[in-house]
Each structure stands twice: as C-alpha cells, then as structure tokens.
C-alpha cells in the first residue's frame, strides 16, 4: 500500500506545450499588420543561478545524522511539485518518461571537498570508482528513476496532484556502512554544470558527468552531511530472526547430593530435574521426598547429633521444620525437593551478598511505617474530637453550614453524579445573603437592608485584617456605620473605631449573637468603641413575636451535602490515604487501626540471579546463535523457591542484628523489572505469611505494577533488534488456516507481554500470560511489528542468497541489494515483469512505489520455537 499518490513528473507553463521543449513559436500581429512568426528560446539549465532558500522543505536523513541505515536511500523534498522538470531540455520519451534537470548524489567525504565558488558552492570529488572500475555515481540517464511528485492527500484528479503536492529526488546509490557522506543536489546536464561554475555554457549538450571518469567538479544547489551506521535496519534484522531448537539434554537432571545419602541411603540413586527459571520443557511439579525429612532434623534415626539443613521459610510458615506433615504445602515442597532447595539456597546467597544494604533498607522502611502509624493514631483522635461538632452541624440551617464551610469551598464537592462540583462553584453568582449568619439575615430581611452590601462590609474587614492592613478610622468604620444607620440599627455612631482588633471582634460578636448580646468589657475597650456598641444596643428594636422568622430556606439544597462532606468518617480517610501513599489505605473505606505494610526490596530478583548464578536462569544460554529466538516455559515455582530462600536468610539476619519485627516479613518479592507509576513498587508475589496451605508457584500478586502474574510462554532473543529499535512491538497473535498454511488471524486482539527485561548485553526476554493450549487449533505466532514512522525509501541489506528475478520475489518489500548486482539502481537491473501492479523502470511513480519502505510484520509460529528434539 503506497503512502499517498505518486506521479512520474509534472510541468507547468510553456514547457508543458506539445512539441519542442527548448523553443516556442508565436504568431505576433501588430496594428493590423500581417502576423509575424517568432521563435523564442526557453530558459534551461544553462540559465539557472541557483535555488531559493525556501525551495527545499525537507531532507532525509537529517543533517548531521550518524546512524543512517546503509540500505536506505537519502532523499530531498521540494516545495514546488514541478521543480525537477521545469528546466529540463528534453521531452518525454516514447514510454512517457521525462528526465529531470536536477539529481541527488552522495559522495564519500574522504573523497571530496565542498568550497564556496563565485556564485554557488562547488563539489570537487576524486577517486569515484571501485577497484573493478565501476563508478560510485548513478547513471545520469537513469535519473528519472529517482524523481517523482508526491500527493500526500491522494484526493486530486488523475491529471493534477493536490494542493499539498511536493516533488522529491531520491538518491539511487547503495551506501556503505560506517562511511560519512556529502548529499548534494546538483545539475544533471552539462549546460547547468558550466553555468554554475561561471563557465559559458555555449551549446553544451549531454549530461554533467561521465561514468568512465573518476573525477567530478560540479556546482551544488543544496547539500548536507550525514554518516551511515550499521548496514542492517529494522526490516533486515526482523527478516534475519530465526528459531533455534533446544533438545532435551538442555533440561538436565541433578542427582540428590551425596550428603543426603549418608543419613538417608535410599536417596543415593535418586535423580530429579535441574530446575531453572526458564525451561525448554513444561516445568515439572515439585517432587517432595518424604525420605529427605531426617536430614532436616538435628538428629538422625540413631539419635546421633548432626548439623541440620535449614528449613527455608520456617518463620513465615510458622513451622519448626519441613518434616512436619501439618506444615503448609509450599513449605514442604521447597524444603523436601532437592532441586527447589538448590534454588532456595541461591536466594539465600543473594541476600548474603548484599545483606548490609538490605538490612538498612528494612530498618529505614520500618521507621516510615512507625511514622505512618503515628499519623493514623492522630487521625483517629481527630475523628473522635470532631464527632461532637458534626452532630451539632447536622442541626444547623443552610446559611450557617455554608458560612462554616466557606474556607474549604474550593475543595468540598457537593451535588450528585455529573452535577457534582466544588461548593465555591455552586455558590458562584448567588445572593450573598445565603453566606450571612442567621441573625444578620433575619434583621436584614426585616429592615429591608441590602444584605449583600452588609456581608461585603464584613468580608472586607476580615480580608484587611488577614492582610495586616489598618482597619481603624476612615478605612472601614464609616462604611459600616453608614450601612448600620441605613438599616435603622443606630442613630448615632462614632465616625471612627480606634482599636481595629477590638472593632473586628465586635463584628464577629454581632454576626454570632445579634445586638442584644454584644460582649463589651469597658475595662478593656476604649470609650469610643463602648459608646459605639451602646449606641447600637440602645437603638436596636426589640423584635416582636410577629417579627420572629420562620424556618430558614435552603435555596441551593446544600445543607445535607455540606453536613455529609464535613463528617470526619468521610472526610478524614481520603486525606490520610493521600499522606500515606503506598501504605495500602483505601480512601473510601474506614481507617485501619495500624499499617502493617511490608517493605518491598526494589531490585528485581532476576537481575541479581543474572549476576551471581546465571546458570539458574535457563540452560544452554551460551549456545544461542546471533539473530535467533528460543521458546521457553516460565517456572513460577522456581522463582518462588528463590524468594523463599532470600526471605528466610534476610529474616535470620534481621533477628541476628536485633531489629524487632512484628511479623515474619518477606521484603524480597519483586521478581522482574518494571517501571513504577510514581509511587512505591508493587510486589510481584504475596507476602509469604499469606500463602497458606497452597502449592508453590501459585502466589502471584495482582498489583498495578506486579509482573509475572501467571506468565507461561517466554521468548528469549539474541539480537540487537530491540536495543537498536526499541519501538518494535512484540506480541502473541492467533494463527489461522487459509488452505495454504498458517497465517496471522487479524480478527483477534494480540496478547501483549506481561514481563520483559534484558539478560546481559544482547539477550532480551518477553514473557506472556497463559492463553490456553499453545498448540491448539492453528496455534499462535510470536509476532514482531515495525511501527510506521514517517516516509522512507530503501532496499534490504545484501544477503548471502544468489540474485533473484522479479518472479522469485514475494513482494517488492523483499527486494535486496544482492538482487540488483551493483552499487546503483539502474533501469536494466531487473526485468520488467509486473509485481504488485508495479513495473521496474517504467517511471518515477512506479519506482517510488517499489522503493517505498513499508512497515514489516514478522511472525514465528510457536511450534517452531517450542519443538524439543
């Protein structure tokens, strides 16, 4: 599928006329005279002095790039879709092909220099031939193969491209890995070359360079520098991937150790599978050996004292040793199966290698848990203290509740469902009378006072007091006094209140109690303020019974919402959960009495195993070849056995150092690397003390970051593919039968990996969750998908296969430089047999479709990956 629409060439103006392209004949009639025929020459390459700076709108690779794939083709894009053919002195040939007057060439920097000429930059290149005499430059006669018009919208008619159309020149040369290049837009015809070098073009004809000459001196209209990286790109690496089959010898057996044979002679000939985290065969079930239990005790059957073997996980299992048949199943399995005991010993060794760091981590985490429990204790005390206030608020009317809740108006949400919004937003544009205390609201309603203005006066007092402003004298008192006089509250009020703080207190008393209950202490209050208050009291009208207000309305329906939001049983848990992020507190549930969260050691076990005991990961890693994939099965019991041993050893070390632990902790529970989401890492396993009487290998956690939960199939890849191209996606896809073989079933969603990580420098693994029987029906594909990123042109890297004809190619996307037998793209490199509707060499549009690089999807069937010889 092509990206947009391609055209082979485009011309405008007089050169688009039929006939000769270097002249045009006109019949000119002047003042009624007989017509005169005039032959006028058209401008050509010899009249070009350069390109405008805005002519070029993009290049690929980017200037200065150091990792361009050698098989890819550089290109330059022009704003004018007709530019490459506008000055061409030739006409279209019989096949409708038109040679452009510009070309894009790439010259090794160690064989060329670019310097400033009188008018344009000048390229001087030498030694442009290979050892066998072939030119490093493309054939000028084939330049039309690399020129085309691109209409990205693909919406125009067949004759003209759309408004966003551009023209493009593609370099037709095979580049060399590890080489630095000059990419240069140069004139294709000799007349243009001479004109750019300030040489009279005269009647110069032909092309600007000869393939037989090792030298080239030419003007440059535009140039940039880049370097080629490795020769293989993402498509080449994907095509080179192949399955590698491991035989059963890779899944070895281990004999029960000789030291078991002395107290337990019956074990001398016993052999068990050598368990690893990844295995080429289905992981075996644990094989607990009851005969091994005497070796787990301090004395043998004769009563002789001997050094007992450790019972891994005894503290977490709350068992003395694994000889007890009543001990948890997982505990018996890991201690009675010698192959699992070996892995538990690896886990213990991991802890011994970094015990100081791990003990310090647990000690620091324990302090954080103590602090969290202290916060919880204070939260419970605050809830108990606030219950009385909550009960009183439940009886208050809407204005009182609203006034009380205003400090939290932006954080308190009221309403239901989609209408739920902050209290402040619910009050926006409402009558401020609803914010006043009930006493003031009643007086305002009786006296016909503008309650909004009265409330604003109070608000201004509080604001200026909070800002540290002087509210005495003319700042606030006159305004308030005027309002009170207008309300009929006082007939004579002093013009000023000298004591600003006491003035504000009086306003608060007035809001809370009304005029009759103002608390004035003459011993502490200036005479002016006392007189002011007395005047208010003396002039206040005693309300009659008919003035007593009825029930206060709740016009916004907020009383119940506010009372509920202020309930500490609802308001406290979310705030505490936010403060104790990572402690596992549900903001919607009641607060727990204590936090018992165990710390989780952040380093994944698999990375530590790789450093200390790589043979525990999988058998025969060293036998994997480059660009191969091995299918494995994940052994969850083996990973849990390692963690049991690690937590057993860490618990012993914590107790040895006197670190108090309320419970038998198990901090080593992260199996695989995983990105965090800004908080504490989720463990991959449940705490050992919560495993119960369950089998080993069934204790995966289900946290947001938990990895390895139910991992089954694992693909291990030895290739630079993912390291160089990390945006390649790896998935499991259902297969389907189409009558000719198995194909991808695109109707079903792919399965993404549950775990991923690296093993050393060139090994990477992808683990997938269970999907049922991997071989049922048509089976599954391990699929690699190259993302679609921009537009690119290129050919696959050379291969060891002999050159193929068009009839031997499955698609143009499979074409490689080996099939062209040369370092440049030529019209006669392949036969003209159509493939995918495109014919090699038929024009610039067809070549653009052939050379366009399409995203590649490569699938390997799991039957090839999991076949065991």
């Amino acid at each position: 599928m092509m990206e947009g629409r391609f055209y082979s060439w485009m011309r405008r103006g007089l050169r688009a006329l039929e006939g000769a392209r270097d002249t045009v004949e006109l019949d000119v009639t002047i003042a009624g005279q007989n017509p005169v025929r005039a032959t006028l020459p058209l401008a050509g390459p010899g009249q070009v002095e350069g390109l405008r700076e805005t002519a070029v709108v993009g290049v690929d690779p980017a200037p200065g790039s150091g990792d361009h794939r050698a098989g890819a083709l550089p290109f330059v894009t022009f704003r004018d879709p007709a530019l490459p053919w506008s000055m061409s002195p030739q006409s279209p040939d019989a096949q409708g092909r038109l040679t452009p007057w510009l070309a894009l060439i790439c010259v090794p920097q160690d064989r060329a220099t670019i310097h400033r000429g009188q008018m344009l930059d000048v390229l001087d290149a030498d030694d442009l031939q290979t050892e066998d005499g072939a030119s490093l430059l493309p054939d000028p006669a084939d330049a039309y193969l690399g020129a085309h018009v691109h209409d990205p919208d693909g919406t125009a008619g067949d004759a003209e491209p759309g408004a966003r159309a551009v023209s493009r020149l593609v370099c037709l040369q095979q580049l060399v890995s590890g080489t630095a290049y000059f990419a240069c837009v140069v004139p294709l015809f000799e007349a243009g070359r001479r004109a750019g070098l300030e040489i009279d073009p005269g009647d110069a004809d032909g092309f600007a360079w000869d393939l037989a000459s090792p030298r080239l001196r030419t003007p440059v209209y535009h140039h940039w520098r880049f370097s080629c990286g490795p020769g293989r790109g993402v498509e080449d690496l994907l095509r080179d991937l192949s399955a590698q089959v491991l035989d059963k010898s890779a899944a070895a057996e281990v004999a029960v150790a000789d030291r078991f044979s002395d107290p337990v002679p019956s074990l001398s000939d016993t052999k068990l599978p050598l368990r690893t985290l990844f295995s080429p065969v289905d992981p075996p079930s644990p094989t607990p050996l009851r005969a091994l239990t005497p070796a787990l005790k301090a004395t043998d059957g004769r009563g002789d004292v001997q050094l007992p073997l450790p019972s891994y996980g005894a503290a977490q299992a709350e068992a003395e040793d694994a000889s007890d048949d009543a001990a948890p199943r997982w505990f018996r399995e890991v201690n009675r199966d010698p192959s699992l005991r070996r892995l538990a010993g690896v886990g213990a060794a991991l802890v011994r290698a970094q015990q100081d760091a791990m003990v310090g981590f647990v000690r620091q985490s324990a302090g954080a848990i103590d602090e969290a429990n202290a916060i919880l204790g204070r939260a419970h005390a605050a809830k108990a203290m606030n219950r009385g206030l909550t009960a009183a608020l439940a009886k208050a009317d809407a204005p009182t509740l609203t006034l009380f809740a205003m400090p939290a108006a932006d954080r308190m949400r009221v309403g239901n469902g989609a209408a739920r919004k902050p209290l402040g937003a619910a009050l926006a544009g409402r009558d401020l009378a609803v914010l006043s205390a009930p006493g003031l609201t009643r007086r305002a309603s009786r006296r016909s006072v503008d309650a909004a203005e009265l409330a604003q006066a109070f608000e201004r007092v509080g604001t200026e007091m909070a800002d540290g402003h002087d509210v005495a004298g003319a700042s606030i008192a006159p305004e308030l006094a005027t309002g009170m006089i207008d309300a009929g509250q006082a007939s004579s009020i002093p013009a000023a209140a000298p004591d600003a703080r006491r003035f504000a207190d009086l306003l608060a008393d007035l809001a809370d109690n009304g005029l009759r209950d103002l608390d004035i202490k003459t011993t502490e209050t200036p005479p002016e303020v006392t007189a002011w208050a007395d005047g208010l009291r003396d002039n206040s009208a005693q309300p009659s019974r008919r003035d007593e207000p009825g029930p206060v309305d709740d016009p916004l329906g907020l009383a119940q919402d506010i009372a509920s939001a202020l309930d500490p049983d609802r308001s406290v848990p979310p705030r505490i959960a936010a403060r104790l992020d990572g402690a596992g507190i549900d903001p919607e549930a009641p607060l727990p009495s204590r936090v018992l969260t165990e710390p989780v050691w952040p380093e994944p076990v698999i990375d530590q195993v790789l450093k200390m005991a790589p043979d525990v990961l999988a058998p025969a890693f060293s036998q994997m070849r480059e660009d191969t994939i091995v299918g494995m099965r994940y052994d969850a019991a083996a990973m849990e056995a390692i963690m049991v041993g690690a937590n057993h050893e860490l618990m012993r070390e914590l107790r040895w150092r006197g670190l108090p632990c309320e419970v038998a902790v198990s901090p080593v529970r992260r199996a695989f690397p995983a990105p965090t989401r800004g908080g504490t890492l989720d463990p991959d396993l449940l705490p050992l003390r919560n495993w119960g009487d369950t089998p080993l290998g069934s204790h995966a956690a289900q946290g947001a970051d938990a990895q390895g939960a139910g991992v089954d199939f694992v693909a291990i890849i030895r290739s630079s593919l993912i390291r160089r191209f990390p945006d390649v996606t790896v998935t499991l896809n259902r297969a389907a039968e189409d009558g000719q073989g198995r194909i991808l079933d695109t109707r079903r969603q792919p399965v993404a990996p549950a775990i991923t990580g690296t093993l050393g420098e060139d090994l990477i693994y992808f683990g997938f969750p269970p999907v049922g029987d991997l071989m049922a029906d048509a089976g599954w594909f391990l699929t690699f998908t190259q993302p679609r990123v921009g537009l690119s042109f290129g050919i696959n890297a050379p291969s060891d296969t002999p050159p193929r004809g068009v009839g031997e190619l499955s698609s143009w996307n499979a074409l490689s430089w080996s099939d062209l037998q040369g370092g440049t793209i030529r019209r006669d490199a392949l036969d003209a047999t159509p493939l995918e509707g495109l014919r090699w060499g038929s024009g610039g549009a067809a070549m653009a479709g052939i050379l366009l690089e399409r995203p590649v999807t490569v699938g390997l069937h799991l039957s090839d990956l999991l076949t065991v010889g």
Side-chain angles (χ1 to χ4, degrees), residues 365-647:
S365 300
I369 292 175
D370 288 342
E371 181 181 353
N373 285 325
I375 293 174
L376 273 178
R378 293 193 293 269
H380 282 287
K383 286 177 59 178
M385 295 174 61
N386 288 334
R387 284 195 180 96
L389 177 60
T390 303
L393 288 173
K395 302 176 183 179
D397 53 23
T400 301
L401 281 172
T402 305
L403 182 64
F404 185 84
M406 281 307 294
D410 291 335
R411 292 180 283 114
M412 181 180 296
R413 302 186 72 82
V414 295
N416 296 315
R420 191 170 176 81
K421 55 187 174 181
L423 175 61
L427 295 173
R430 299 287 182 172
D431 186 353
L432 290 179
V434 76
L435 304 183
S436 303
L440 290 180
T441 304
R442 290 194 293 270
R443 283 177 171 76
S445 62
R446 287 201 310 273
R447 302 291 183 175
S448 300
V449 178
D450 189 341
E453 294 182 2
L454 193 61
Q456 288 173 353
F458 277 89
E459 183 180 359
R460 185 174 172 193
V461 171
T463 301
E464 296 203 8
M465 285 294 292
D467 293 343
H469 297 166
D470 179 14
V471 298
S475 176
I476 294 298
E479 177 182 340
L480 184 60
T482 302
M484 299 296 284
I485 292 171
D486 292 341
Q489 299 292 330
S491 59
S492 175
I493 299 178
D499 188 335
R501 184 171 300 281
R502 185 55 183 155
F503 183 76
D505 292 341
L506 286 172
L507 295 180
D509 287 342
L510 180 62
D512 294 338
N513 306 313
L515 295 176
R516 288 172 295 173
D517 301 323
L518 283 177
D519 182 16
I520 302 298
K521 297 179 180 179
T522 56
T523 57
E524 301 178 4
T525 306
E528 296 89 345
V529 177
T530 303
W532 183 84
D534 289 341
L536 290 179
R537 187 184 296 108
D538 293 342
N539 289 277
S540 62
Q542 297 297 325
S544 62
R545 183 172 301 275
R546 60 185 175 82
D547 290 330
E548 289 295 331
V552 179
D553 294 334
D554 183 6
L556 303 182
L558 300 177
Q560 184 177 356
D561 285 349
I562 295 175
S564 177
L566 293 174
D567 185 350
D569 287 332
R570 295 190 58 183
S571 61
V572 173
R575 299 182 64 184
I576 298 301
R579 292 188 63 185
L580 301 182
D581 182 31
I585 295 179
D586 184 357
E588 300 297 330
L591 287 177
S593 58
R594 292 183 63 77
V595 173
L596 296 176
T597 301
E598 296 186 20
V600 179
W601 178 246
E603 294 187 20
V605 164
I606 193 169
D607 290 349
Q608 300 173 68
V609 171
L610 178 64
K611 297 176 184 176
M612 291 194 58
D615 61 309
V616 172
L617 293 177
F621 268 172
S622 60
Q623 299 178 11
M624 288 189 64
R625 301 184 300 272
E626 182 71 16
D627 297 323
T628 59
I629 306 175
V630 170
M632 294 280 189
R633 309 303 286 265
Y634 173 59
D635 191 344
M639 176 62 80
E640 290 189 6
I642 293 176
M643 291 191 174
V644 168
N647 286 294

Side-chain angles (χ1 to χ4, degrees), residues 48-57 78-79 83 120 221-222:
V48 176
E49 296 182 354
L51 299 179
R52 293 181 182 272
E53 294 183 359
T54 58
V56 175
V57 295
F78 300 109
R79 188 183 309 276
L83 178 62
L120 296 169
Y221 299 130
H222 184 82

Side-chain angles (χ1 to χ4, degrees), residues 319-397:
E320 182 177 351
D321 60 58
S323 62
D324 183 3
D325 290 336
R329 177 177 172 180
W330 65 266
F331 179 63
R332 301 195 309 271
E333 289 176 348
V334 77
N335 284 285
R336 294 185 183 182
D337 186 330
S339 59
L340 292 175
R341 285 189 62 86
R342 166 180 173 265
L343 297 175
V346 171
L350 297 179
V351 172
R352 289 193 292 270
Q354 47 187 340
Q355 58 188 11
D356 290 337
M358 298 182 78
V359 170
F361 169 78
V362 175
R363 190 186 303 274
Q364 182 179 8
S365 300
I369 292 175
D370 288 342
E371 181 181 353
N373 285 325
I375 293 174
L376 273 178
R378 293 193 293 269
H380 282 287
K383 286 177 59 178
M385 295 174 61
N386 288 334
R387 284 195 180 96
L389 177 60
T390 303
L393 288 173
K395 302 176 183 179
D397 53 23

